Amino acid sequence: MTQANKKRRVDLYALTWRLPIIVWQFLFFVGPLVFLIAMSFFVVKNYRMVETFELASWERILSRDYFWSSYLYTFGMATFATVLATMLAFPASFALAFKVSANTRRWAMFFLIVPFFTSYLVKTFSWYVILAKTGVVNSLFGYLGLGPYTLLNTWIGTMVGFMTLVLPLLVLLQTLSLSQVDKNLIEAAHNLGSGRFRTIFNVIVPSAKIGLIVGALFCFILSFGDFVSPYYLGGSTPQTLSILIIDTTKSGNQWPRAAVVAICMMVTLFVIAFTSIVFAYRKPKS
Amino acid sequence: MIKDGVISFFLKAYLVVLFIFVFAPIIASVIFSFNSDRFPTIPLGSFSLEWYKLIINDPDIAKAAITSIIVAISSSILATFIGFCTAYSDYRYDFRFKGPYLALALLPPTVPLIIMALAMLAWLSKFGLSGSVLSIVLAHTVLCTPFAMAIIRLRLSQMDTSLEAAAWNLGASEWSAMREIVVPFARPAIISSLCLTAAVSFDEFAVAWFVSGLNKTIPVVILEIVQGNIDPRVNAIGTFVFLTSMTLVIIAQVIFMKNQNKGAVSG
Amino acid sequence: MVNPDRPLVQFKNVVKRFGNFVALKSTDLDIHEGEFVALMGPSGCGKTTTLRLLAGLEKPSEGEITLGGKLMNDVKAHERETPLVWQSLALFPFMNARENVEFGLKMRGFNADVRREKAIDWLERLGMEEFIERDVSQLSGGQRQRVALARALVTEPKILLLDEPLSALDAHLVIRMQGVLSKLQRELGITFVYVTHSQSEAFAMADRVVIMGDGEVMQIGTAREIYRTPKNRFVAEFVGRNNIISGTVTSAHTDTLIVNTACGDFTVSKPDDLVFKQNDPITFSVSADLVTIDVDRPETDNVVQCNLISEEFVGSVVTLFLEAADGTELKVQVQEKELQKINPKADIPYYISWPTLSAHVLDANLPG
């Protein structure tokens, strides 16, 4: 009998609350992104951007090997980061969801939110110092008679940065979805004689599928778009797409070309996001 | 049973290791900021406030701090206002195209910052706005609104749907009911949202770097220092930024938690 | 108290649709000044919709609603004087008891001193003098109830709407609050429109009960009328503890009809307002408390032999559930102390019977 107090006729009052986001997002979110697409067809003449419709920037970027190698490297790194982070996060999320008290879990969740509000740049700089040839890690290895190892300006450095960026969010999302798995289901699987690992992979993972996939998707989006770790910890060789955008924009002043790279990134992310969401919500075959 | 205990132990130990990894750079940065060495390693050098003295006496950093504070305050107020409007619309009304409406509101965090930065730079330059403090405020508002919306929506979902109707029933117009009932009910979330969006804005560097021009914010200054060489001033600034953000986050958390059960729908 | 000449509230052909769903079919309803009316029915019957229409929280899709002779269709909720006591109470959680009560006065522009005085008056009147400045979250269910009542009554309305106000209370508190409400209504002499699904609440307090089902008014009458002479099958079933028996008329006499059913032949009194011919289908109800149960077959009309299926004790009243040879289920209500006479054992046959006058013919043409 609860008839929600929802009105059909749009009135001044309703519009007052509904319009701000529409206006704002069209002006400063949709507008810029649409303009980005338009800009990819502009050309730069005498250091000035001319608003026209030419495919020059598209032809230029898509025909260059450095773009494609950069694309493959970025895609590969993001994929690897996603797989690595998912594997690293899962045992921790599993422990948080099933092995600790509710109170510990609440605190852990709070501490997983904290890194989100701490400067990623400062953390990256910190890693830069820690991972350097004469840094903390190598001096610890030194005590063991090992090293020094080159960790900076390699893919290892980039991965350390990516993990700092994505692990807190990923553990948070995984824990949330794992703690929603019906405990009775797990109990039932145990009673039916299912072993630990079989229970995890046949019962828990499928039940928490959506959360796990959404977590992995965020991982991919973040690592695919990040420029800080590949630049400062990975030494920006090979270049990732984000670094390509920065270089093209900041030094080359070739905004249309940067726009082409940005659109390629957006399309890639859109396809990945769409596929994973379809996959996440697909009904399991019985 | 013993085996279960062992597995449990290792999982918990792993959890601790993971948390150490996540917090290592933050803690290290704080420690390094008090360390006399330009290039910290083990064993650490002596305790020193040198880096703090350097940044306190640096007029560029002071200017950036002021810009950052102005941007954080302005964009958190704008984002919280727009987020509140959107959250209330979603709570109260059912309308056509509500799905796309909410998507429009919540999508910004899924766009990589570097792309937002480029798009904002191009768009704002077109209108002659880039390089101004205003342009950072506009961009940060876009980035912060989804968080504001989410926090306030969560609070509104705890509001008994008949609360507003009860106010009308007692003679309050829709506007009065908003002022007397909805806003006071959402107040803890509004304060949390102001704090959290200010913290997000205070830490954001990519978009700010692209659109800020000469009006640098603190994170942009950090970015530029880092581009140069190893400079422990970053740790000192970082510690200052960290403390600011943490204060905001903790205030937000405490206010939100304290009021979470108060006035929630019961029974 | 009841003044039949001038209805305070009139519903004329009021229809309420939500999209394709018809919440209220064409409804006529008069509510008089000073009357305690209960709207009763199962959930989804349209009783809350009726109340919300009256409060202006919904607009009628068709028809007219008048209050004190004034057409209310386009009057906004906040411009009406129809305070409502909500099922959830809807107390404002960030205000204390007094501030809650003051709210309606504040919205009507009373100054702070008057507001305060009136609010305290009402809280005291309802026995809340110790809790005037208490946060509503620190009040018990019954106390919150009183704050909600004071908040609704402080503006001295002509009519008070109540939407299942006691549904969240413990059983013993419900009885007490029923007393409080009845007394208050008599003292104030204002109209109460009370929505409930609870028969005991409606029958205990209301001057008139409106039974609603499936978006329609099924019957309006006093508690006794509805209990003893349900108009149709819906009411008979909803009021409960009625034996409902269907069959065909085999012969019609001056005052009685003979009805043939699967569990035997019965005599029923001819209803005043309905006409039956031979072979017409007919349904009648017999209230379970008017049925007698015996171990030996009584020498009267209207006897059915049955087996005992189960018993239900509610205080000193026992309901026996029985089954006739053909499977018809029958109910008998007896006092617990009379139960010993028949020594209930499931495996002996029992005979149940009722006087012809107790059988009440239902109107098959009415919905239900």
Side-chain angles (χ1 to χ4, degrees), chain C residues 6 41 86 127 146 197 253 307 362:
Chain C
R6 183 191 157 200
W86 301 76
R146 286 161 202 261
H197 65 267
H253 303 276
N307 292 318
L362 302 175

Side-chain angles (χ1 to χ4, degrees), chain C residues 49-319:
Chain C
T49 304
T50 308
L51 203 70
R52 292 179 67 92
L53 283 163
L54 198 45
L57 297 167
E58 306 291 353
K59 268 188 151 188
S61 310
E62 283 172 33
E64 290 183 352
I65 299 173
T66 58
L67 182 67
K70 190 181 161 212
L71 183 64
M72 299 303 282
N73 285 26
D74 292 318
V75 179
K76 289 190 178 136
H78 71 273
E79 289 158 350
R80 301 186 185 201
E81 301 278 341
T82 49
L84 176 55
V85 178
W86 301 76
Q87 182 168 17
S88 65
L89 299 184
L91 294 180
F92 305 129
F94 41 83
M95 298 181 189
N96 65 28
R98 176 180 55 76
E99 288 164 338
N100 262 282
V101 178
E102 278 186 27
F103 188 83
L105 298 169
K106 191 176 173 191
M107 290 301 110
R108 285 176 178 78
F110 285 84
N111 74 42
D113 293 339
V114 179
R115 276 177 359 218
R116 192 186 175 87
E117 193 182 319
K118 287 193 181 212
I120 292 174
D121 268 2
W122 268 99
L123 283 167
E124 284 176 352
R125 180 165 187 175
L126 289 166
M128 291 285 293
E129 49 276 80
E130 287 167 48
F131 308 104
I132 286 165
E133 302 292 329
R134 191 72 72 88
D135 249 18
V136 289
S137 58
Q138 291 171 314
L139 296 176
S140 71
Q143 291 163 346
R144 291 160 61 86
Q145 198 81 51
R146 286 161 202 261
V147 176
L149 267 175
R151 185 177 73 171
L153 289 169
V154 72
T155 52
E156 290 162 23
K158 280 212 172 82
I159 184 166
L160 180 69
L161 313 179
L162 302 104
D163 185 8
E164 310 225 11
L166 308 184
S167 59
L169 295 184
D170 294 339
H172 69 281
L173 270 178
V174 170
I175 308 291
R176 257 185 80 183
M177 283 309 292
Q178 281 181 9
V180 171
L181 286 173
S182 291
K183 184 160 166 268
L184 203 58
Q185 196 264 343
R186 278 196 307 275
E187 284 172 10
L188 297 170
I190 65 171
T191 305
F192 274 29
V193 183
Y194 188 98
V195 161
T196 181
H197 65 267
S198 151
Q199 196 175 312
S200 64
E201 284 177 28
F203 285 3
M205 293 185 286
D207 298 321
R208 280 198 305 159
V209 178
V210 179
I211 304 284
M212 299 187 71
D214 207 16
E216 277 183 88
V217 173
M218 292 291 180
Q219 186 170 359
I220 304 178
T222 63
R224 192 185 163 75
E225 281 165 359
I226 284 169
Y227 192 60
R228 289 297 178 217
T229 57
K231 249 190 179 153
N232 55 27
R233 194 185 187 102
F234 178 88
V235 178
E237 280 177 351
F238 183 71
V239 171
R241 299 291 180 258
N242 275 312
N243 292 296
I244 299 166
I245 302 165
S246 295
T248 46
V249 177
T250 48
S251 61
H253 303 276
T254 337
D255 293 324
T256 55
L257 301 165
I258 307 298
V259 179
N260 174 259
T261 75
C263 56
D265 286 351
F266 302 107
T267 313
V268 301
S269 328
K270 228 176 189 174
D272 305 331
D273 46 351
L274 302 167
V275 181
F276 284 93
K277 300 187 301 290
Q278 207 173 354
N279 294 330
D280 277 352
I282 188 167
T283 303
F284 62 91
S285 75
V286 187
S287 186
D289 61 333
L290 301 177
V291 179
T292 323
I293 182 163
D294 288 294
V295 188
D296 307 310
R297 189 181 182 97
E299 298 300 314
T300 59
D301 284 344
N302 311 322
V303 180
V304 189
Q305 184 188 335
C306 339
N307 292 318
L308 186 59
I309 307 292
S310 63
E311 300 149 49
E312 180 192 74
F313 284 78
V314 179
S316 63
V317 178
V318 184
T319 306

Side-chain angles (χ1 to χ4, degrees), chain A residues 5 13 17-18 21 25 27-28 35 39 51 88 99 111 117-118 122 126 128 134 139 196 228 232 269, chain B residues 4 8 12 14 23 25 39 41 85-86 88-89 93 101 104 120 123 126 161 203 227 230 242 245:
Chain A
N5 40 16
Y13 180 81
W17 310 109
R18 204 169 307 166
I21 188 84
Q25 297 297 70
L27 282 180
F28 302 114
F35 187 69
M39 192 168 72
E51 298 196 3
L88 288 178
K99 302 286 178 192
F111 278 107
F117 296 96
T118 57
V122 174
S126 208
Y128 185 85
T134 55
S139 58
R196 268 188 207 90
V228 175
Y232 295 105
L269 286 179
Chain B
D4 261 351
S8 233
K12 283 178 196 166
Y14 177 77
F23 282 92
F39 208 97
T41 182
C85 293
T86 316
Y88 178 71
S89 292
Y93 297 98
Y101 175 83
L104 183 73
M120 280 285 177
W123 179 249
K126 186 177 162 65
T161 42
D203 277 341
Q227 272 172 329
I230 289 199
F242 174 71
S245 300

